[in-house]
Protein backbone atom coordinates (compact mmCIF):
# COMPACT_ATOMS: atom_id res chain seq x y z
CA UNK A 1 0.00 0.00 0.00
CA UNK A 2 1.33 3.48 -0.84
CA UNK A 3 1.74 6.10 1.82
CA UNK A 4 1.71 9.86 2.13
CA UNK A 5 4.27 9.75 4.94
CA UNK A 6 7.40 11.85 4.49
CA UNK A 7 10.93 11.52 5.73
CA UNK A 8 11.32 12.81 9.34
CA UNK A 9 7.58 12.48 10.08
CA UNK A 10 6.86 11.14 13.54
CA UNK A 11 4.06 8.59 13.88
CA UNK A 12 2.73 6.27 16.56
CA UNK A 13 2.49 2.55 15.94
CA UNK A 14 2.32 -0.85 17.62
CA UNK A 15 5.01 -3.36 16.70
CA UNK A 16 3.26 -6.50 15.48
CA UNK A 17 6.11 -8.60 14.18
CA UNK A 18 9.87 -8.75 13.67
CA UNK A 19 11.79 -8.80 10.40
CA UNK A 20 14.46 -11.45 10.00
CA UNK A 21 17.09 -8.72 10.51
CA UNK A 22 15.67 -7.82 13.91
CA UNK A 23 13.72 -4.68 12.99
CA UNK A 24 10.27 -4.25 14.48
CA UNK A 25 7.41 -4.27 11.97
CA UNK A 26 4.53 -1.88 12.48
CA UNK A 27 1.77 -0.50 10.29
CA UNK A 28 0.45 3.02 9.82
CA UNK A 29 -2.83 3.12 7.88
CA UNK A 30 -1.94 -0.22 6.31
CA UNK A 31 1.54 0.95 5.24
CA UNK A 32 4.36 -1.28 6.57
CA UNK A 33 7.30 0.20 8.45
CA UNK A 34 10.53 -1.57 9.38
CA UNK A 35 11.55 0.07 12.63
CA UNK A 36 15.07 0.00 14.02
CA UNK A 37 15.40 -0.54 17.80
CA UNK A 38 11.74 -1.49 18.24
CA UNK A 39 10.67 -4.98 19.28
CA UNK A 40 7.44 -6.89 18.92
CA UNK A 41 4.92 -5.75 21.54
CA UNK A 42 6.21 -2.15 21.81
CA UNK A 43 3.92 0.80 21.30
CA UNK A 44 6.10 3.68 20.21
CA UNK A 45 6.61 6.96 18.43
CA UNK A 46 8.84 6.35 15.45
CA UNK A 47 10.58 8.66 13.00
CA UNK A 48 10.44 7.93 9.29
CA UNK A 49 13.89 7.50 7.74
CA UNK A 50 13.02 6.37 4.24
CA UNK A 51 9.78 6.06 2.29
CA UNK A 52 9.51 3.49 -0.48
CA UNK A 53 6.56 2.59 -2.64
CA UNK A 54 5.10 -0.25 -0.62
CA UNK A 55 7.04 -0.03 2.65
CA UNK A 56 9.31 2.30 4.59
CA UNK A 57 12.02 2.47 7.25
CA UNK A 58 11.83 4.21 10.60
CA UNK A 59 13.58 4.28 13.95
CA UNK A 60 12.24 4.32 17.45
CA UNK A 61 12.23 7.77 19.07
CA UNK A 62 9.94 7.34 22.08
CA UNK A 63 8.74 4.22 23.79
CA UNK A 64 5.10 4.71 24.88
CA UNK A 65 4.36 1.20 26.16
CA UNK A 66 7.31 -1.19 26.31
CA UNK A 67 6.91 -4.77 25.13
CA UNK A 68 6.76 -7.38 27.93
CA UNK A 69 9.78 -8.97 26.18
CA UNK A 70 11.87 -5.81 26.58
CA UNK A 71 15.00 -5.75 28.75
CA UNK A 72 17.61 -3.05 29.30
CA UNK A 73 20.64 -3.85 27.10
CA UNK A 74 23.77 -4.48 29.18
CA UNK A 75 25.99 -2.86 26.58
CA UNK A 76 25.90 0.95 26.42
CA UNK A 77 26.68 0.74 22.69
CA UNK A 78 23.88 -1.75 21.92
CA UNK A 79 21.85 0.75 19.86
CA UNK A 80 24.52 2.29 17.61
CA UNK A 81 26.68 -0.86 17.27
CA UNK A 82 25.80 -3.14 14.38
CA UNK A 83 27.02 -6.24 16.24
CA UNK A 84 24.03 -7.11 18.46
CA UNK A 85 20.55 -6.54 17.07
CA UNK A 86 18.52 -8.21 19.82
CA UNK A 87 20.01 -7.00 23.10
CA UNK A 88 16.78 -5.21 24.00
CA UNK A 89 14.89 -8.53 23.92
CA UNK A 90 14.81 -11.08 26.73
CA UNK A 91 16.79 -14.21 25.87
CA UNK A 92 13.63 -16.38 25.83
CA UNK A 93 12.07 -13.99 23.32
CA UNK A 94 15.25 -14.11 21.21
CA UNK A 95 14.96 -17.91 21.02
CA UNK A 96 11.31 -17.68 20.01
CA UNK A 97 12.24 -15.08 17.37
CA UNK A 98 14.84 -17.49 15.94
CA UNK A 99 12.46 -20.44 15.91
CA UNK A 100 9.89 -18.33 14.02
CA UNK A 101 12.52 -17.12 11.59
CA UNK A 102 13.52 -20.68 10.70
CA UNK A 103 9.87 -21.79 10.38
CA UNK A 104 9.02 -18.82 8.21
CA UNK A 105 11.97 -19.43 5.84
CA UNK A 106 11.12 -23.11 5.54
CA UNK A 107 7.53 -22.23 4.73
CA UNK A 108 7.98 -19.22 2.46
CA UNK A 109 11.18 -20.21 0.64
CA UNK A 110 11.20 -23.97 1.08
CA UNK A 111 7.49 -24.62 0.66
CA UNK A 112 7.48 -26.91 3.72
CA UNK A 113 4.28 -26.59 5.69
CA UNK A 114 4.43 -29.58 7.99
CA UNK A 115 8.09 -29.97 8.82
CA UNK A 116 9.10 -30.55 12.38
CA UNK A 117 11.13 -27.56 13.60
CA UNK A 118 12.27 -28.23 17.12
CA UNK A 119 12.62 -25.52 19.76
CA UNK A 120 15.98 -23.73 19.51
CA UNK A 121 18.70 -25.19 21.75
CA UNK A 122 19.61 -22.13 23.80
CA UNK A 123 22.71 -21.07 25.70
CA UNK A 124 23.12 -21.18 29.47
CA UNK A 125 25.23 -18.04 29.53
CA UNK A 126 24.26 -15.73 26.71
CA UNK A 127 27.17 -13.26 27.06
CA UNK A 128 30.95 -13.42 26.53
CA UNK A 129 30.56 -16.52 24.41
CA UNK A 130 32.60 -15.69 21.29
CA UNK A 131 36.06 -17.19 20.87
CA UNK A 132 36.94 -14.92 17.96
CA UNK A 133 36.78 -11.19 17.22
CA UNK A 134 37.80 -9.12 14.23
CA UNK A 135 38.04 -5.46 15.19
CA UNK A 136 38.25 -2.88 12.40
CA UNK A 137 40.83 -0.12 13.02
CA UNK A 138 40.19 3.44 11.78
CA UNK A 139 40.81 7.01 12.87
CA UNK A 140 38.42 9.82 13.72
CA UNK A 141 38.55 13.38 12.36
CA UNK A 142 41.07 14.39 15.03
CA UNK A 143 43.33 11.53 14.01
CA UNK A 144 42.65 9.37 17.09
CA UNK A 145 42.92 5.64 16.54
CA UNK A 146 39.58 3.84 16.91
CA UNK A 147 39.12 0.10 17.34
CA UNK A 148 35.72 -1.46 17.78
CA UNK A 149 32.78 -2.50 15.65
CA UNK A 150 31.01 -1.03 12.67
CA UNK A 151 27.82 0.88 13.37
CA UNK A 152 24.81 -0.78 11.69
CA UNK A 153 25.01 -0.62 7.87
CA UNK A 154 28.04 1.72 7.87
CA UNK A 155 31.80 1.58 8.14
CA UNK A 156 32.10 4.11 10.95
CA UNK A 157 33.65 2.46 13.97
CA UNK A 158 31.97 2.47 17.38
CA UNK A 159 34.54 2.15 20.14
CA UNK A 160 33.38 0.49 23.33
CA UNK A 161 35.54 -0.21 26.34
CA UNK A 162 34.16 -3.74 26.42
CA UNK A 163 32.23 -5.98 24.03
CA UNK A 164 29.76 -8.11 25.98
CA UNK A 165 29.64 -11.03 23.57
CA UNK A 166 33.41 -11.26 23.16
CA UNK A 167 35.94 -12.56 25.68
CA UNK A 168 37.15 -9.94 28.21
CA UNK A 169 40.76 -10.68 27.24
CA UNK A 170 40.15 -8.75 23.99
CA UNK A 171 40.16 -5.42 25.87
CA UNK A 172 43.76 -5.82 27.02
CA UNK A 173 44.93 -6.98 23.58
CA UNK A 174 43.35 -3.95 21.87
CA UNK A 175 44.94 -1.63 24.43
CA UNK A 176 48.39 -3.14 23.76
CA UNK A 177 48.03 -2.85 19.98
CA UNK A 178 46.84 0.75 20.31
CA UNK A 179 49.78 1.59 22.56
CA UNK A 180 52.16 0.06 20.02
CA UNK A 181 50.59 1.97 17.10
CA UNK A 182 50.80 5.28 18.98
CA UNK A 183 54.38 4.63 20.09
CA UNK A 184 55.59 3.75 16.61
CA UNK A 185 53.43 6.28 14.75
CA UNK A 186 51.62 3.54 12.82
CA UNK A 187 48.47 4.74 11.07
CA UNK A 188 45.19 2.89 10.73
CA UNK A 189 44.07 1.99 7.22
CA UNK A 190 41.82 4.52 5.48
CA UNK A 191 39.56 2.69 3.06
CA UNK A 192 38.64 5.79 1.03
CA UNK A 193 42.24 6.81 0.38
CA UNK A 194 43.51 3.20 0.42
CA UNK A 195 46.33 4.42 2.67
CA UNK A 196 47.56 3.61 6.17
CA UNK A 197 48.64 0.26 7.57
CA UNK A 198 46.48 -1.52 10.15
CA UNK A 199 43.07 -2.68 8.87
CA UNK A 200 41.82 -5.22 11.40
CA UNK A 201 42.88 -7.01 14.54
CA UNK A 202 41.94 -10.68 14.61
CA UNK A 203 41.89 -12.29 18.04
CA UNK A 204 41.18 -15.93 18.79
CA UNK A 205 40.99 -17.62 22.14
CA UNK A 206 40.78 -21.38 22.60
CA UNK A 207 38.14 -21.85 25.28
CA UNK A 208 39.37 -25.26 26.47
CA UNK A 209 43.07 -24.36 26.76
CA UNK A 210 43.07 -20.57 27.18
CA UNK A 211 45.55 -20.22 24.29
CA UNK A 212 45.49 -16.87 22.49
CA UNK A 213 46.29 -15.83 18.93
CA UNK A 214 46.59 -12.27 17.63
CA UNK A 215 46.88 -11.42 13.95
CA UNK A 216 47.04 -7.86 12.60
CA UNK A 217 45.63 -7.49 9.10
CA UNK A 218 47.77 -4.91 7.32
CA UNK A 219 47.87 -2.98 4.07
CA UNK A 220 51.58 -3.69 3.62
CA UNK A 221 54.15 -6.47 3.59
CA UNK A 222 55.96 -5.61 6.81
CA UNK A 223 54.97 -4.72 10.32
CA UNK A 224 57.42 -2.07 11.59
CA UNK A 225 59.01 -2.51 15.03
CA UNK A 226 57.05 -5.72 15.48
CA UNK A 227 59.40 -7.01 18.21
CA UNK A 228 58.04 -4.63 20.83
CA UNK A 229 54.45 -5.56 20.04
CA UNK A 230 55.21 -9.28 20.13
CA UNK A 231 57.05 -8.93 23.44
CA UNK A 232 54.20 -7.05 25.13
CA UNK A 233 51.55 -9.46 23.79
CA UNK A 234 53.55 -12.47 24.96
CA UNK A 235 53.52 -11.09 28.49
CA UNK A 236 49.85 -12.06 28.54
CA UNK A 237 48.98 -15.46 29.94
CA UNK A 238 48.03 -17.92 27.20
CA UNK A 239 49.55 -15.96 24.29
CA UNK A 240 50.59 -18.64 21.79
CA UNK A 241 50.78 -17.16 18.30
CA UNK A 242 51.26 -13.60 17.02
CA UNK A 243 51.42 -12.75 13.34
CA UNK A 244 50.16 -10.50 10.59
CA UNK A 245 48.15 -11.04 7.47
CA UNK A 246 48.81 -9.10 4.26
CA UNK A 247 45.74 -7.58 2.63
CA UNK A 248 46.60 -4.82 0.14
CA UNK A 249 43.38 -5.03 -1.87
CA UNK A 250 40.56 -2.50 -1.95
CA UNK A 251 38.03 -4.93 -0.50
CA UNK A 252 35.64 -5.60 2.36
CA UNK A 253 37.04 -9.10 2.70
CA UNK A 254 38.98 -9.05 5.95
CA UNK A 255 41.84 -11.49 5.43
CA UNK A 256 44.31 -11.54 2.54
CA UNK A 257 45.98 -14.69 1.26
CA UNK A 258 49.30 -14.48 3.06
CA UNK A 259 49.87 -14.78 6.81
CA UNK A 260 53.30 -14.27 8.41
CA UNK A 261 53.90 -15.68 11.87
CA UNK A 262 56.05 -13.48 14.13
CA UNK A 263 56.18 -15.81 17.11
CA UNK A 264 54.62 -19.17 18.02
CA UNK A 265 53.60 -22.24 16.04
CA UNK A 266 51.05 -20.43 13.80
CA UNK A 267 48.03 -22.01 15.43
CA UNK A 268 46.24 -22.39 18.74
CA UNK A 269 44.93 -25.69 20.07
CA UNK A 270 41.32 -25.99 21.25
CA UNK A 271 39.16 -28.94 22.22
CA UNK A 272 35.53 -29.78 21.50
CA UNK A 273 34.40 -32.79 23.51
CA UNK A 274 37.45 -35.05 23.61
CA UNK A 275 38.87 -34.08 20.21
CA UNK A 276 41.67 -31.50 19.92
CA UNK A 277 42.05 -29.09 17.04
CA UNK A 278 44.81 -26.92 15.67
CA UNK A 279 43.34 -23.67 14.37
CA UNK A 280 45.35 -21.26 12.21
CA UNK A 281 44.36 -17.62 11.51
CA UNK A 282 42.71 -18.32 8.13
CA UNK A 283 40.79 -21.40 9.20
CA UNK A 284 37.13 -21.40 10.04
CA UNK A 285 36.22 -22.51 13.55
CA UNK A 286 32.76 -22.13 15.11
CA UNK A 287 32.71 -19.01 17.30
CA UNK A 288 30.73 -20.46 20.19
CA UNK A 289 32.54 -23.48 21.68
CA UNK A 290 29.86 -24.47 24.22
CA UNK A 291 27.08 -24.59 21.63
CA UNK A 292 29.35 -26.16 19.02
CA UNK A 293 29.55 -29.32 21.09
CA UNK A 294 25.73 -29.49 21.13
CA UNK A 295 25.59 -28.76 17.39
CA UNK A 296 28.06 -31.52 16.53
CA UNK A 297 26.18 -33.88 18.86
CA UNK A 298 23.06 -33.30 16.74
CA UNK A 299 25.00 -33.85 13.51
CA UNK A 300 26.25 -37.16 14.87
CA UNK A 301 22.76 -38.17 16.02
CA UNK A 302 21.16 -37.24 12.67
CA UNK A 303 23.90 -39.07 10.74
CA UNK A 304 22.76 -42.26 12.48
CA UNK A 305 26.12 -44.02 12.10
CA UNK A 306 26.55 -47.64 13.07
CA UNK A 307 30.25 -48.05 12.30
CA UNK A 308 30.42 -49.36 8.74
CA UNK A 309 29.51 -46.25 6.78
CA UNK A 310 31.37 -44.22 4.20
CA UNK A 311 30.81 -40.52 4.88
CA UNK A 312 31.56 -37.34 2.92
CA UNK A 313 31.85 -34.12 4.97
CA UNK A 314 31.65 -31.21 2.55
CA UNK A 315 32.84 -27.73 3.60
CA UNK A 316 34.78 -29.46 6.37
CA UNK A 317 36.98 -26.56 7.60
CA UNK A 318 39.65 -27.93 9.94
CA UNK A 319 37.94 -31.33 9.99
CA UNK A 320 35.84 -30.74 13.08
CA UNK A 321 32.69 -32.61 12.04
CA UNK A 322 34.73 -35.12 9.99
CA UNK A 323 36.70 -36.24 13.05
CA UNK A 324 33.60 -36.51 15.25
CA UNK A 325 32.01 -38.72 12.58
CA UNK A 326 35.18 -40.73 11.90
CA UNK A 327 35.02 -42.23 15.38
CA UNK A 328 31.70 -43.85 14.43
CA UNK A 329 32.20 -44.60 10.72
CA UNK A 330 34.34 -46.78 8.49
CA UNK A 331 35.75 -43.90 6.47
CA UNK A 332 35.26 -40.13 6.25
CA UNK A 333 36.30 -37.88 3.36
CA UNK A 334 36.44 -34.12 3.96
CA UNK A 335 36.48 -31.36 1.33
CA UNK A 336 37.35 -27.73 2.00
CA UNK A 337 38.45 -24.75 -0.11
CA UNK A 338 40.98 -23.13 2.27
CA UNK A 339 44.37 -24.93 2.02
CA UNK A 340 45.47 -23.89 5.54
CA UNK A 341 42.28 -25.39 6.97
CA UNK A 342 43.00 -28.71 5.22
CA UNK A 343 46.54 -28.61 6.61
CA UNK A 344 44.97 -28.20 10.06
CA UNK A 345 42.48 -31.01 9.31
CA UNK A 346 45.28 -33.45 8.44
CA UNK A 347 47.25 -32.46 11.56
CA UNK A 348 44.09 -32.79 13.62
CA UNK A 349 43.46 -36.34 12.41
CA UNK A 350 47.02 -37.25 13.50
CA UNK A 351 46.75 -35.32 16.76
CA UNK A 352 43.73 -37.43 17.72
CA UNK A 353 45.04 -40.68 16.25
CA UNK A 354 42.20 -40.91 13.80
CA UNK A 355 43.37 -42.89 10.78
CA UNK A 356 40.15 -43.22 8.78
CA UNK A 357 39.71 -39.61 7.66
CA UNK A 358 41.09 -38.23 4.41
CA UNK A 359 40.98 -34.60 3.30
CA UNK A 360 40.97 -32.81 -0.05
CA UNK A 361 41.52 -29.14 -0.88
CA UNK A 362 39.11 -27.72 -3.42
CA UNK A 363 35.61 -26.52 -4.05
CA UNK A 364 33.03 -29.01 -2.85
CA UNK A 365 31.07 -28.42 -6.07
CA UNK A 366 34.12 -29.47 -8.11
CA UNK A 367 35.80 -32.14 -5.98
CA UNK A 368 32.71 -34.28 -5.33
CA UNK A 369 31.39 -34.27 -8.94
CA UNK A 370 34.89 -35.12 -10.22
CA UNK A 371 35.20 -38.05 -7.83
CA UNK A 372 31.75 -39.25 -8.68
CA UNK A 373 32.38 -39.11 -12.45
CA UNK A 374 35.78 -40.78 -12.16
CA UNK A 375 35.29 -43.34 -9.40
CA UNK A 376 31.52 -43.65 -9.01
CA UNK A 377 32.19 -42.64 -5.41
CA UNK A 378 29.66 -43.97 -2.95
CA UNK A 379 28.43 -42.44 0.31
CA UNK A 380 26.13 -43.80 2.99
CA UNK A 381 25.97 -40.41 4.65
CA UNK A 382 26.76 -36.93 3.34
CA UNK A 383 27.16 -33.90 5.59
CA UNK A 384 27.21 -30.38 4.16
CA UNK A 385 28.00 -27.23 6.15
CA UNK A 386 28.28 -24.44 3.57
CA UNK A 387 28.85 -20.70 4.10
CA UNK A 388 25.88 -18.28 4.03
CA UNK A 389 25.26 -18.57 0.32
CA UNK A 390 24.42 -22.26 0.63
CA UNK A 391 25.41 -25.11 -1.71
CA UNK A 392 26.19 -24.74 -5.40
CA UNK A 393 23.62 -26.41 -7.65
CA UNK A 394 26.24 -28.69 -9.21
CA UNK A 395 26.99 -30.06 -5.75
CA UNK A 396 23.31 -30.67 -4.98
CA UNK A 397 22.95 -32.45 -8.33
CA UNK A 398 25.83 -34.77 -7.51
CA UNK A 399 24.39 -35.46 -4.06
CA UNK A 400 21.07 -36.36 -5.70
CA UNK A 401 22.84 -38.74 -8.07
CA UNK A 402 24.90 -40.33 -5.29
CA UNK A 403 21.68 -40.81 -3.35
CA UNK A 404 23.11 -41.33 0.15
CA UNK A 405 20.94 -43.02 2.79
CA UNK A 406 21.19 -39.95 4.96
CA UNK A 407 22.02 -36.32 4.39
CA UNK A 408 22.73 -33.90 7.21
CA UNK A 409 22.63 -30.22 6.27
CA UNK A 410 24.25 -27.78 8.73
CA UNK A 411 23.48 -24.16 7.94
CA UNK A 412 24.12 -20.68 9.32
CA UNK A 413 21.52 -19.15 6.99
CA UNK A 414 18.02 -20.55 7.10
CA UNK A 415 16.95 -18.85 3.86
CA UNK A 416 19.54 -20.62 1.68
CA UNK A 417 18.93 -23.77 3.73
CA UNK A 418 15.23 -23.59 2.81
CA UNK A 419 16.08 -23.01 -0.87
CA UNK A 420 18.47 -26.00 -1.00
CA UNK A 421 16.11 -28.29 0.96
CA UNK A 422 13.33 -27.45 -1.47
CA UNK A 423 15.55 -28.53 -4.37
CA UNK A 424 16.70 -31.73 -2.64
CA UNK A 425 13.18 -32.74 -1.67
CA UNK A 426 11.88 -32.16 -5.20
CA UNK A 427 14.63 -34.54 -6.30
CA UNK A 428 13.48 -37.28 -3.93
CA UNK A 429 14.99 -36.62 -0.50
CA UNK A 430 12.67 -36.47 2.49
CA UNK A 431 13.12 -33.79 5.15
CA UNK A 432 12.63 -35.34 8.57
CA UNK A 433 13.35 -32.58 11.03
CA UNK A 434 15.21 -29.35 11.63
CA UNK A 435 17.01 -28.56 14.87
CA UNK A 436 17.99 -24.90 15.35
CA UNK A 437 20.88 -24.21 17.75
CA UNK A 438 21.63 -20.77 19.12
CA UNK A 439 25.30 -20.04 18.50
CA UNK A 440 24.93 -16.26 18.36
CA UNK A 441 22.95 -14.88 21.32
CA UNK A 442 22.02 -11.17 21.09
CA UNK A 443 22.24 -11.27 17.29
CA UNK A 444 19.70 -12.39 14.67
CA UNK A 445 21.86 -15.32 13.56
CA UNK A 446 20.74 -18.90 14.03
CA UNK A 447 22.39 -22.20 13.14
CA UNK A 448 20.33 -25.21 11.98
CA UNK A 449 20.89 -28.92 11.50
CA UNK A 450 18.48 -30.61 9.10
CA UNK A 451 18.08 -34.38 8.81
CA UNK A 452 17.09 -35.87 5.46
CA UNK A 453 16.69 -39.41 4.29
CA UNK A 454 17.77 -40.62 0.88
CA UNK A 455 15.94 -40.52 -2.42
CA UNK A 456 12.65 -42.37 -2.98
CA UNK A 457 14.22 -44.51 -5.67
CA UNK A 458 16.88 -45.71 -3.27
CA UNK A 459 17.06 -49.42 -2.82
CA UNK A 460 18.58 -49.18 0.59
CA UNK A 461 16.99 -49.26 4.00
CA UNK A 462 16.59 -46.08 5.88
CA UNK A 463 18.63 -46.13 9.05
CA UNK A 464 16.72 -45.69 12.28
CA UNK A 465 17.82 -42.60 14.15
CA UNK A 466 17.86 -42.80 17.92
CA UNK A 467 15.70 -40.08 19.40
N1 LIG B 1 32.20 -27.79 8.98
C1 LIG B 1 33.21 -26.87 9.44
C2 LIG B 1 33.28 -25.57 8.66
C3 LIG B 1 32.00 -24.91 8.26
S1 LIG B 1 32.12 -23.25 7.69
C4 LIG B 1 33.03 -26.58 10.93
O1 LIG B 1 31.99 -26.88 11.52
O2 LIG B 1 33.96 -26.09 11.55
C5 LIG B 1 32.12 -23.40 5.98
C6 LIG B 1 33.45 -23.80 5.40
O3 LIG B 1 33.29 -23.88 3.99
C7 LIG B 1 34.59 -22.81 5.62
O4 LIG B 1 35.68 -23.50 6.16
C8 LIG B 1 34.91 -22.28 4.21
O5 LIG B 1 36.27 -22.01 4.03
C9 LIG B 1 34.46 -23.43 3.36
N2 LIG B 1 34.09 -23.15 1.95
C10 LIG B 1 33.55 -22.05 1.43
N3 LIG B 1 33.23 -22.23 0.12
C11 LIG B 1 33.57 -23.51 -0.18
C12 LIG B 1 33.46 -24.32 -1.36
N4 LIG B 1 32.95 -23.84 -2.48
N5 LIG B 1 33.89 -25.59 -1.30
C13 LIG B 1 34.42 -26.10 -0.16
N6 LIG B 1 34.54 -25.38 0.98
C14 LIG B 1 34.12 -24.11 0.98
Amino acid sequence: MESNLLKNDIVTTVIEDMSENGEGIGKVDGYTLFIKDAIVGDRAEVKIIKVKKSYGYARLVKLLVPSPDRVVPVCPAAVPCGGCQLQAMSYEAQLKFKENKVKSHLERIGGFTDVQVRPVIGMEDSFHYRNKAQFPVTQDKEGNIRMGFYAGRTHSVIETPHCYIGHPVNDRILALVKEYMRREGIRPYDETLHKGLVRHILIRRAAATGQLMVCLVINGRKLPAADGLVRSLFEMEGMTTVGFNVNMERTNVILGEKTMILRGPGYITDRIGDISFHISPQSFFQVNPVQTEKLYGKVLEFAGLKGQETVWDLYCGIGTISLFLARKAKKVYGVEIVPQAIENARENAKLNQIGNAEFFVGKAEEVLPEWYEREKTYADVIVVDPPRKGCAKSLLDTIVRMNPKRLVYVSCNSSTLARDLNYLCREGFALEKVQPVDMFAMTVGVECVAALSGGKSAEHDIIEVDE
Side-chain angles (χ1 to χ4, degrees):
M1 187 195 237
E2 284 199 43
S3 154
N4 46 17
L5 288 173
L6 297 172
K7 186 174 169 177
N8 294 332
D9 279 356
I10 295 196
V11 290
T12 298
T13 184
V14 173
I15 313 305
E16 293 165 358
D17 204 353
M18 298 290 287
S19 78
E20 60 181 54
N21 302 319
E23 295 138 323
I25 301 178
K27 290 213 163 106
V28 176
D29 297 332
Y31 178 75
T32 303
L33 288 173
F34 292 92
I35 304 155
K36 187 175 166 342
D37 307 321
I39 69 170
V40 66
D42 284 341
R43 189 178 143 78
E45 280 179 7
V46 308
K47 186 171 181 173
I48 309 293
I49 300 169
K50 198 171 189 174
V51 182
K52 294 191 150 209
K53 200 156 183 268
S54 49
Y55 61 91
Y57 293 97
R59 74 180 165 80
L60 183 137
V61 285
K62 191 173 176 196
L63 205 52
L64 301 173
V65 184
S67 159
D69 293 331
R70 218 171 229 290
V71 295
V72 179
V74 293
C75 176
V79 170
C81 180
C84 296
Q85 303 87 11
L86 301 181
Q87 265 206 38
M89 229 186 210
S90 72
Y91 187 57
E92 294 69 44
Q94 292 182 24
L95 293 179
K96 203 67 205 159
F97 162 83
K98 293 182 190 202
E99 186 181 326
N100 290 340
K101 174 171 164 173
V102 172
K103 280 185 178 153
S104 142
H105 280 154
L106 287 169
E107 266 175 48
R108 285 190 296 113
I109 304 170
F112 299 99
T113 46
D114 53 357
V115 50
Q116 191 197 135
V117 177
R118 298 179 166 187
V120 183
I121 299 178
M123 296 163 51
E124 274 114 65
D125 182 1
S126 48
F127 288 102
H128 298 125
Y129 59 84
R130 287 185 63 99
N131 59 14
K132 173 185 166 184
Q134 301 181 112
F135 296 94
V137 184
T138 59
Q139 60 186 339
D140 63 15
K141 289 197 192 82
E142 287 77 45
N144 302 311
I145 301 169
R146 295 179 75 85
M147 301 170 168
F149 291 102
Y150 291 131
R153 294 174 205 277
T154 76
H155 270 196
S156 67
V157 167
I158 307 274
E159 210 174 40
T160 56
H162 176 66
C163 168
Y164 285 82
I165 61 171
H167 194 277
V169 79
N170 295 343
D171 306 345
R172 175 82 186 130
I173 293 173
L174 291 189
L176 288 173
V177 177
K178 202 182 237 184
E179 211 175 282
Y180 151 79
M181 288 178 67
R182 282 204 196 115
R183 193 171 63 228
E184 303 298 338
I186 293 169
R187 299 314 308 163
Y189 176 66
D190 180 323
E191 61 184 4
T192 346
L193 302 174
H194 192 48
K195 282 213 167 91
L197 191 67
V198 181
R199 300 173 71 126
H200 275 86
I201 300 161
L202 162 67
I203 303 173
R204 271 191 159 142
R205 180 180 177 276
T209 61
Q211 292 187 3
L212 292 167
M213 171 160 68
V214 178
C215 182
L216 271 58
V217 184
I218 60 172
N219 173 39
R221 291 191 181 82
K222 269 184 73 181
L223 193 64
D227 280 1
L229 173 68
V230 172
R231 224 175 300 125
S232 64
L233 286 171
F234 264 86
E235 278 170 17
M236 291 183 68
E237 199 189 329
M239 191 58 64
T240 302
T241 286
V242 174
F244 64 91
N245 172 276
V246 178
N247 186 352
M248 295 170 71
E249 305 291 316
R250 278 180 182 269
T251 171
N252 282 340
V253 177
I254 295 178
L255 290 180
E257 298 244 317
K258 200 164 151 196
T259 300
M260 309 292 289
I261 300 304
L262 294 163
R263 198 199 281 185
Y267 56 80
I268 49 172
T269 305
D270 205 351
R271 228 173 16 247
I272 304 278
D274 59 353
I275 303 189
S276 298
F277 299 102
H278 286 177
I279 310 160
S280 61
Q282 278 109 325
S283 300
F284 176 91
F285 190 64
Q286 289 285 1
V287 297
N288 183 330
V290 176
Q291 294 300 94
T292 298
E293 194 168 347
K294 301 180 191 167
L295 178 79
Y296 292 167
K298 282 290 157 194
V299 175
L300 202 56
E301 178 192 324
F302 289 180
L305 301 174
K306 298 269 192 285
Q308 281 313 304
E309 295 84 354
T310 300
V311 182
W312 280 75
D313 176 23
L314 305 166
Y315 310 88
C316 70
I318 62 171
T320 39
I321 295 176
S322 322
L323 298 184
F324 266 89
L325 297 173
R327 289 259 179 91
K328 302 267 163 67
K330 186 169 87 193
K331 177 89 195 196
V332 178
Y333 299 96
V335 184
E336 158 65 42
I337 199 170
V338 174
Q340 291 88 347
I342 287 293
E343 246 172 67
N344 289 157
R346 290 179 181 143
E347 288 161 20
N348 293 337
K350 283 208 192 96
L351 190 65
N352 296 285
Q353 281 128 25
I354 293 174
N356 59 338
E358 206 176 317
F359 296 97
F360 307 105
V361 182
K363 292 185 179 169
E365 63 272 26
E366 289 174 4
V367 174
L368 192 69
E370 276 165 27
W371 270 78
Y372 185 67
E373 289 312 319
R374 221 178 37 231
E375 316 276 341
K376 283 278 160 283
T377 302
Y378 169 83
D380 295 287
V381 177
I382 297 181
V383 177
V384 296
D385 183 4
R388 295 191 62 78
K389 67 178 182 208
C391 294
K393 177 142 178 314
S394 57
L395 175 65
L396 296 179
D397 279 335
T398 303
I399 292 175
V400 166
R401 289 171 67 199
M402 286 173 74
N403 200 12
K405 295 181 191 116
R406 303 199 62 74
L407 174 62
V408 182
Y409 194 135
V410 186
S411 162
C412 57
N413 180 350
S414 47
S415 64
T416 54
L417 170 71
R419 178 200 68 199
D420 291 351
L421 291 180
N422 173 288
Y423 184 77
L424 289 163
C425 291
R426 276 191 286 129
E427 297 296 328
F429 279 89
L431 177 59
E432 292 171 350
K433 58 201 155 195
V434 176
Q435 174 64 68
V437 181
D438 189 23
M439 312 284 276
F440 317 104
M442 308 300 141
T443 81
V444 294
V446 58
E447 194 85 11
C448 287
V449 197
L452 295 97
S453 50
K456 286 182 193 125
S457 60
E459 285 171 12
H460 44 242
D461 302 327
I462 291 179
I463 301 174
E464 289 291 315
V465 179
D466 298 335
E467 280 295 313

